[in-house]
Amino acid sequence: MNAVFRHELSSWRTNVVAYVFVAFLLLFGGIYTMVLCLRGGYANYEYVFYNMTFVYIITVPILTMRVISEERRQKTDQLLYSLPISMTKVALGKYFAMLVVLAIPVAILCVYPLVLRAFGNVYLPEAFSTALAFFLLGATLLAIGMFISSVTESQPAAAGLSFVVMLLLYFLTSLAEYIPTSAGASMVAYMITWLVLCLIIWAMTKNLFISAVLFIVGEVALLICANLFMSSFYNSFPTILAAISPFDRFYTFVTGVFDLTGIVYYITVIALFLYLSIQSLEKRRWS
């Protein structure tokens, strides 16, 4: 894993994409620091991170689009598959290298509250806890983008799909407000969601039988639950959508609450998508 990590980190040092990623975060961090803290007089530096979350929608797809799809396009992934290391170490090495690229601008932005503290009443614990949540939010989106990059050979396709996913996650809570709160609407939404998940499983595994069995079992289970606990479905789907939004989890930290469940949520999502990326690499390796 160390060899993959060092190789990836070396490639990022000579790749303009990494510099664009860092520059974008620092640029908007500086702009919002000036507008909110210097000109606006706000002592809450967490508002800077709050206004910067949209930058991830643009920068994360650019950073993750090449991490695996470029290897597949150039056929250099065959070298990775021939290495005497597991795909877990390959995926972790690539992911940790991206985390270093993310940590650089976040660490620099953490210096700003210290400077402002010398001239105002900035509450550092709240600012740094929000910075940690901002980093974990970025790490979560990087894991999602890495998985998307692992399932396609085209960088533009990986970037475009990642952008759409990031945009949906950003507006997930707002979209949930347009879903009817009735139990029937939630039931239909669950069934459609399960269908989409089964289609994704089929696209990844190319195993129609397993996908069909999962679809039938899931739909039957939903129908049984609907007949037994129909009242529990009231407003459940919009609530779940709001709960799984990584951006919505971040906004809790901005309000001054150090949400341990949010930390666990981010770590869980990161682990899930890293696992999916590893499985995608393994599938490619043995095919």
Side-chain angles (χ1 to χ4, degrees):
M1 185 180 74
N2 290 334
V4 176
F5 172 75
R6 290 195 299 268
H7 176 269
E8 285 295 310
L9 204 57
S10 176
S11 67
W12 284 123
R13 286 201 300 265
T14 58
N15 193 308
V16 68
V17 171
Y19 293 96
V20 170
F21 178 84
V22 174
F24 257 79
L25 287 180
L26 292 180
L27 172 64
F28 282 97
I31 290 174
Y32 283 115
T33 299
M34 180 184 67
V35 172
L36 296 175
C37 299
L38 299 182
R39 298 189 62 180
Y42 288 98
N44 305 86
Y45 195 78
E46 55 273 14
Y47 293 166
V48 174
F49 291 111
Y50 171 81
N51 286 277
M52 285 179 59
T53 52
F54 80 94
V55 181
Y56 279 144
I57 301 176
I58 303 171
T59 56
V60 168
I62 296 175
L63 188 66
T64 59
M65 67 179 182
R66 63 169 293 276
V67 64
I68 296 178
S69 60
E70 178 67 6
E71 300 271 10
R72 297 179 62 177
R73 187 183 69 84
Q74 296 182 349
K75 306 303 180 183
T76 54
D77 59 333
Q78 304 299 327
L79 297 176
L80 293 176
Y81 302 144
S82 63
L83 293 175
I85 58 175
S86 65
M87 290 298 100
T88 300
K89 293 182 179 180
V90 171
L92 291 179
K94 288 178 172 290
Y95 180 69
F96 288 149
M98 288 193 297
L99 285 187
V100 171
V101 177
L102 171 63
I104 292 173
V106 175
I108 294 174
L109 290 173
C110 286
V111 177
Y112 295 0
L114 297 175
V115 176
L116 294 173
R117 175 72 173 179
F119 302 96
N121 188 25
V122 178
Y123 188 55
L124 294 181
E126 191 169 323
F128 289 144
S129 66
T130 307
L132 173 62
F134 185 77
F135 175 79
L136 290 175
L137 171 63
T140 301
L141 298 179
L142 286 177
I144 297 174
M146 181 176 173
F147 166 67
I148 295 174
S149 179
S150 70
V151 298
T152 178
E153 296 181 4
S154 171
Q155 287 192 47
L161 186 56
S162 295
F163 175 77
V164 172
V165 171
M166 304 302 162
L167 199 62
L168 286 174
L169 291 175
Y170 187 79
F171 290 107
L172 196 59
T173 304
S174 299
L175 292 174
E177 297 176 357
Y178 292 94
I179 299 176
T181 59
S182 65
S186 292
M187 178 62 187
V188 172
Y190 285 129
M191 297 182 72
I192 295 175
T193 301
W194 184 246
L195 172 62
V196 172
L197 290 175
C198 290
L199 289 174
I200 294 174
I201 293 173
W202 172 76
M204 292 182 60
T205 63
K206 301 301 181 183
N207 193 318
L208 182 59
F209 176 75
I210 293 179
S211 303
V213 170
L214 288 175
F215 171 72
I216 294 173
V217 171
E219 297 293 343
V220 170
L222 284 172
L223 290 174
I224 294 174
C225 291
N227 288 327
L228 296 177
F229 313 104
M230 194 61 181
S231 60
S232 300
F233 281 79
Y234 177 79
N235 199 34
S236 60
F237 192 76
T239 303
I240 290 177
L241 281 185
I244 65 175
S245 170
F247 290 94
D248 198 61
R249 292 278 183 171
F250 169 74
Y251 300 148
T252 303
F253 289 86
V254 178
T255 61
V257 178
F258 189 81
D259 187 12
L260 287 177
T261 59
I263 302 293
V264 174
Y265 164 82
Y266 285 131
I267 295 174
T268 303
V269 175
I270 290 171
L272 171 63
F273 280 94
L274 284 179
Y275 172 78
L276 293 176
S277 299
I278 293 167
Q279 296 306 307
S280 179
L281 290 173
E282 288 286 359
K283 177 178 178 296
R284 176 77 174 180
R285 183 180 196 177
W286 295 111
S287 62

